[in-house]
Amino acid sequence: MSHKTNSLLVLTAIAILTALSVFYASRLRFDYNFDNFFPKGDPDLAYYFSYRDKFGNDNDYMLIGLENAGSLFDQAFLQKVDTLTRFMQQQPHVESVLSPTTVKSPIIEQFGYFEIPYLHPDEPGRYTQDSTLIYQSRELVGTLFSEDASAVSLFVQTSDNLAKEPGDSLIAAMYGEIERLGLQEHHVAGKVLAQSVFIEKMKIELAIFMSASILLVILFLWLAFRTVWGVLVPLVVVLLSVLWSLGVMELFNKPIDVMTVLLPTIMFVVGMSDVIHIMSRYITEIGQGATKIQALRVTVREVGMATLMTSLTTSVGFLTLLTTSIVPIREFGVYTAIGIALAFVLAFTLLPAILLLTKRPNPRSARRTDFSWPMLLRRVYTFVLRKPYPILYTSIGVVLVSLIGISMIKVDTTLLEDLGDDDPIIKDFQYFEEKFSGVRPFELHLMAGSGKSMYDLEVLQEIDQLETYLYQTYGLNFITSPATVVRSIHRAQNGGLPDNYTLPANEREMQQIQRRLAAFSKRSELRAVVTADQQEGRLAGKMKDVGSVRAAELNDSLEAFIDQHINPGLLQTRLTGSAVMLDKNNDYVVSNMLQGLLIAFLVVAILVGFIFRSLRMVVISLVPNIIPLLMIGGIMGFLGINMTVSISIIFTIAFGIAVDDTIHFLGKLKVELRKGKSLPYAIKSTFISTGKAIIITSCILIAGFLTLVLSTFDATFYVGVFVSLTLVFAVVADLLLLPLLILYFYKPIKK
């Protein structure tokens, strides 16, 4: 069969696979599942899920903050709040609404039980009396009413794990009613809103990243090849590799999430690297008078193995993300690695087929585009040979300064670490921290001692001690627990006066309350804090989002307090909750990053060792790629950027991509040495022949990753900034430091 026939068969097969990819990719959906960011495999996670099954989710809620200029005690304002409350109570997927206009103080008398509203929106004459009672009730201030009496908050309990579509409908209905009522100053926070906003942001950013990447790549391809052919051919190959990758994701039912939204952009710029190396070599051969077949044979022979190895090292860089305990990051690593493999396959099937079927480039124009590069690279190489010691000493100085910066890095996370400080969601969260009790949930599992129950007075007294510590020392601004339930009933039995919001003074009073609790046992308020057998309880609260480092310090102090002051025979406790699970990720950040890097180093070492059979060359190849990682670590430390789970993946991604240029350089060097050239001459020849492709691919990669700085997600922004910086540092190291290291420290095996 002729080469043309083979090419047509290849193109036919690729067309069929592309059609399938289009079918699957068109069905891709977006998703943001909060639970996926919990550390899988952690023993505390199973405990948390068990606890959640008993008491419900601690983050299935929405907070609606409404502010009035001056004072909240304004009839028109309060009537609007009441209207919104009743509207939200009628919405699908809303379990309950706790509102300032509906909250009531229970009163239990000899002749019956009744409830008195704390607030009377329609009776302005009672506002003075109402405000006095409200601001004497500790459980209301900072929760439903702001301390400065200028704002109120509604607590909307939604269905468990509410999906995006019904969540979006609920949010749209809520905002529609708020607008209809003319409530200008409003703030909303909660998982349902965050889920909706995150997914919309992902859709917008995916379109922005891809559009910006395509425009930048077209620009660089034009500058490199100066022909329409030289732009369109690489573009088609890489776009198909992105399409195939998205098709594979849908084939395995993987939606686009906050991590995989990066995949098309990364695939686009990384896949372009293989194509540029092939195209550059092919055009060079054409410029020297070779036929299409001859040029392709030389290209595959000299670039093929290096390209295979670079694809392998880049894939390994992403596959090392499997060491993390967070599912979205692991899946991002797997699917990106699959995409890189697909890009390699297309680069060596589709690209040669297109080149064979298209017109042979004009050798004269090919020589012209290739003419200026050798002159530039000879000058750079001359500079390297003339300034060896300044380059080496500068490298050592950079490493030392970077190590100082790395020592200053802190590992810390917050609940919404991926969003920038100016993001509207963050501003709303900050509003609830300033005006109300905060948004960070606190959960403490309570277990009665042997032979005891949650409603035994001595057990409640232990819980009361805990609550006092949590309010005064730990920093909670709101608490609900078995003790708060008992206090409420005790107050209700004593005229509903705030002074009686205490635990009963003796067993006789407690027995009266226990009889009342038995009558109320099926009420949802009780089931949310005490199990049916009364052996387990829940102490839940809200606080400011202090960050995982400060939270760990507070938790250690709490554990110490419990050990010293709480009788384990009466009460046992265990910290849990969604905030604790997210904080647990901190325990894995550094270890996962180091494991990933060590695996990547090992793979590169094996590949270089396979090529050169030299331990010395293995070390030489790692140095120019470790220094850029140290530099970005140092920059992070000096700028005070905290190490988070999302940011830690930068190092393995950056290493896997940056090492590609080194592999290409060393692969070409091996070819030159096999031709019998001396080491200095082989380095010079390698420098001039691979330098162009290294610089062009690095520029494309840098430009592609820089498009990520347009993201409103902090993690994506930092991936764009630091991977781009790593690539800049890596290309400088490959062109200035690597030739010197080889020249001074490598001794080729003489045959």
Side-chain angles (χ1 to χ4, degrees):
M1 292 168 75
S2 68
H3 295 298
K4 187 173 182 179
T5 305
N6 287 333
S7 298
L8 288 171
L9 287 173
V10 168
L11 290 176
T12 303
I14 289 172
I16 293 169
L17 291 172
T18 301
L20 287 171
S21 297
V22 169
F23 170 74
Y24 281 109
S26 65
R27 299 165 60 190
L28 264 175
R29 66 194 190 284
F30 288 79
D31 182 45
Y32 180 77
N33 190 339
F34 187 78
D35 287 2
N36 283 342
F37 287 87
F38 296 146
K40 293 297 179 285
D42 189 286
D44 288 339
L45 185 59
Y47 186 90
Y48 166 61
F49 284 146
S50 171
Y51 172 85
R52 195 168 73 175
D53 290 341
K54 293 172 186 172
F55 297 107
N57 220 335
D58 61 350
N59 58 9
D60 281 323
Y61 65 85
M62 274 199 306
L63 294 174
I64 307 174
L66 303 169
E67 190 162 350
N68 192 48
S71 170
L72 66 88
F73 294 99
D74 173 80
Q75 185 176 11
F77 172 71
L78 290 176
Q79 285 176 335
K80 290 177 181 179
V81 172
D82 192 50
T83 303
L84 179 63
T85 299
R86 300 185 191 287
F87 175 83
M88 293 303 295
Q89 287 172 334
Q90 296 168 3
Q91 296 309 300
H93 308 292
V94 170
E95 302 289 330
S96 62
V97 180
L98 187 61
S99 165
T101 62
T102 57
V103 66
K104 296 176 180 178
S105 172
I107 304 292
I108 301 172
E109 292 188 343
Q110 185 177 358
F111 301 106
Y113 169 88
F114 58 96
E115 296 176 326
I116 299 175
Y118 279 99
L119 190 59
H120 300 80
D122 300 322
E123 301 177 52
R126 301 182 67 171
Y127 285 178
T128 302
Q129 181 185 345
D130 288 348
S131 65
T132 301
L133 182 61
I134 287 166
Y135 281 89
Q136 286 177 345
S137 304
R138 182 184 188 180
E139 72 275 18
L140 299 180
V141 181
T143 52
L144 298 178
F145 300 86
S146 66
E147 289 189 13
D148 62 2
S150 67
V152 296
S153 173
L154 278 64
F155 184 91
V156 181
Q157 185 72 44
T158 59
S159 305
D160 287 350
N161 298 314
L162 190 59
K164 183 179 184 302
E165 288 74 16
D168 286 350
S169 299
L170 176 61
I171 291 165
M174 175 195 68
Y175 277 128
E177 184 67 6
I178 287 174
E179 186 176 350
R180 188 188 71 80
L181 292 170
L183 291 163
Q184 300 294 328
E185 188 66 35
H186 60 270
H187 303 268
V188 182
K191 189 178 83 170
V192 175
L193 180 66
Q195 174 181 262
S196 176
V197 172
F198 269 49
I199 289 175
E200 291 307 314
K201 281 178 180 286
M202 284 190 279
K203 290 179 179 178
I204 294 168
E205 293 191 356
L206 178 59
I208 292 172
F209 296 158
M210 279 303 294
S211 301
S213 296
I214 290 171
L215 290 174
L216 285 167
V217 166
I218 289 173
L219 174 63
F220 279 107
L221 288 173
W222 178 259
L223 291 174
F225 301 118
R226 302 295 176 91
T227 62
V228 174
W229 171 86
V231 172
L232 290 180
V233 172
L235 208 56
V236 168
V237 174
V238 177
L239 283 173
L240 285 186
S241 68
V242 173
L243 186 62
W244 282 24
S245 302
L246 295 176
V248 168
M249 283 178 59
E250 174 57 25
L251 182 64
F252 289 98
N253 200 32
K254 168 62 186 168
I256 295 177
D257 57 30
V258 73
M259 291 305 305
T260 49
V261 74
L262 304 178
L263 187 147
T265 306
I266 291 175
M267 274 296 310
F268 190 77
V269 294
V270 172
M272 191 60 73
S273 176
D274 292 345
V275 177
I276 294 292
H277 279 284
I278 294 169
M279 290 284 290
S280 293
R281 188 62 188 161
Y282 176 77
I283 288 173
T284 299
E285 291 301 316
I286 292 291
Q288 293 173 359
T291 64
K292 289 194 291 186
I293 291 294
Q294 290 170 337
L296 279 172
R297 281 176 178 162
V298 172
T299 299
V300 171
R301 185 170 64 247
E302 296 199 0
V303 179
M305 182 55 72
T307 305
L308 172 62
M309 290 189 173
T310 56
S311 296
L312 184 58
T313 55
T314 306
S315 296
V316 167
F318 283 99
L319 286 174
T320 56
L321 298 180
L322 288 170
T323 58
T324 186
S325 55
I326 299 175
V327 170
I329 293 177
R330 284 158 59 174
E331 292 179 339
F332 166 65
V334 169
Y335 286 104
T336 308
I338 291 171
I340 290 164
L342 292 173
F344 173 80
V345 170
L346 283 169
F348 282 91
T349 54
L350 177 60
L351 182 55
I354 292 175
L355 294 178
L356 283 171
L357 291 174
T358 54
K359 185 180 176 182
R360 178 174 176 261
N362 187 325
R364 188 177 300 171
S365 61
R367 281 195 298 274
R368 196 183 310 122
T369 60
D370 215 42
F371 177 71
S372 58
W373 282 97
M375 292 178 62
L376 171 66
L377 292 166
R378 282 191 181 93
R379 289 178 183 174
V380 176
Y381 188 62
T382 302
F383 171 80
V384 171
L385 294 180
R386 286 179 178 174
K387 305 285 184 181
Y389 293 110
I391 292 172
L392 291 172
Y393 293 147
T394 301
S395 301
I396 293 169
V398 165
V399 169
L400 294 176
V401 172
S402 298
L403 290 173
I404 294 170
I406 289 170
S407 68
M408 300 164 65
I409 293 177
K410 295 179 181 177
V411 180
D412 196 10
T413 56
T414 56
L415 293 183
L416 291 175
E417 66 182 20
D418 278 347
L419 296 177
D421 293 339
D422 295 328
D423 193 280
I425 292 183
I426 292 291
K427 294 215 175 276
D428 279 345
F429 268 65
Q430 290 171 345
Y431 175 83
F432 285 103
E433 294 199 337
E434 293 166 5
K435 289 280 187 179
F436 298 98
S437 54
V439 293
R440 179 185 169 93
F442 174 90
E443 296 286 336
L444 188 67
H445 190 189
L446 308 173
M447 294 155 282
S450 179
K452 302 292 181 182
S453 82
M454 279 291 124
Y455 292 134
D456 284 351
L457 182 57
E458 51 190 351
V459 173
L460 291 167
Q461 287 167 343
E462 297 294 293
I463 297 173
D464 189 61
Q465 272 195 81
L466 262 177
E467 288 189 17
T468 302
Y469 175 85
L470 290 169
Y471 271 127
Q472 295 179 356
T473 306
Y474 190 92
L476 289 194
N477 300 314
F478 163 73
I479 292 176
T480 180
S481 74
T484 61
V485 171
V486 171
R487 285 196 207 96
S488 297
I489 295 177
H490 186 248
R491 178 178 60 189
Q493 289 181 337
N494 289 275
L497 299 174
D499 290 345
N500 293 315
Y501 187 69
T502 61
L503 292 178
N506 51 56
E507 288 291 345
R508 184 177 60 80
E509 288 185 5
M510 188 64 220
Q511 287 172 2
Q512 291 179 336
I513 291 173
Q514 285 174 336
R515 285 194 292 273
R516 186 65 60 181
L517 285 166
F520 293 159
S521 61
K522 293 185 179 180
R523 294 185 64 157
S524 60
E525 304 97 289
L526 294 187
R527 292 202 306 271
V529 292
V530 178
T531 55
D533 61 4
Q534 299 183 7
Q535 295 301 300
E536 297 175 73
R538 172 193 193 187
L539 191 157
K542 293 282 187 293
M543 62 187 293
K544 291 185 177 180
D545 191 6
V546 294
S548 56
V549 171
R550 178 60 182 151
E553 294 170 356
L554 292 173
N555 291 341
D556 289 343
S557 299
L558 175 60
E559 297 286 358
F561 173 84
I562 291 171
D563 289 342
Q564 292 176 15
H565 298 93
I566 303 301
N567 183 352
L570 298 174
L571 180 69
Q572 291 148 27
T573 63
R574 179 164 172 173
L575 273 168
T576 187
S578 59
V580 170
M581 295 317 306
L582 289 176
D583 290 345
K584 290 279 287 185
N585 286 326
N586 273 15
D587 298 343
Y588 303 101
V589 167
V590 176
S591 61
N592 287 345
M593 181 185 68
L594 292 177
Q595 284 176 24
L597 282 175
L598 286 173
I599 293 169
F601 291 166
L602 183 62
V603 170
V604 171
I606 291 171
L607 289 175
V608 175
F610 173 74
I611 296 172
F612 286 92
R613 307 286 200 276
S614 167
L615 181 60
R616 190 173 292 186
M617 184 57 93
V618 168
V619 176
I620 289 170
S621 68
L622 289 175
V623 170
N625 294 291
I626 292 175
I627 290 176
L629 300 183
L630 296 177
M631 290 174 73
I632 60 170
I635 291 170
M636 284 175 57
F638 286 123
L639 294 180
I641 298 169
N642 291 333
M643 178 72 74
T644 65
V645 174
S646 303
I647 289 176
S648 68
I649 69 172
I650 290 170
F651 292 89
T652 46
I653 292 174
F655 178 80
I657 296 171
V659 79
D660 289 0
D661 290 339
T662 306
I663 298 291
H664 274 290
F665 191 97
L666 296 180
K668 178 61 176 174
L669 178 65
K670 183 68 173 178
V671 171
E672 295 298 322
L673 289 172
R674 279 180 176 166
K675 292 177 181 177
K677 294 179 181 177
S678 65
L679 183 61
Y681 190 71
I683 295 172
K684 179 182 178 181
S685 180
T686 300
F687 194 95
I688 292 169
S689 62
T690 62
K692 175 187 174 182
I694 286 174
I695 292 172
I696 292 171
T697 55
S698 295
C699 287
I700 289 174
L701 287 165
I702 291 163
F705 276 100
L706 277 177
T707 62
L708 302 182
V709 304
L710 301 172
S711 176
T712 54
F713 295 116
D714 271 7
T716 306
F717 172 84
Y718 285 128
V719 167
V721 170
F722 287 121
V723 173
S724 298
L725 280 176
T726 305
L727 293 169
V728 171
F729 300 148
V731 76
V732 172
D734 282 329
L735 294 178
L736 300 185
L737 183 60
L738 182 60
L740 285 178
L741 294 175
I742 297 171
L743 199 58
Y744 280 81
F745 300 105
Y746 176 61
K747 294 180 180 178
I749 300 169
K750 292 183 180 180
K751 296 185 180 179

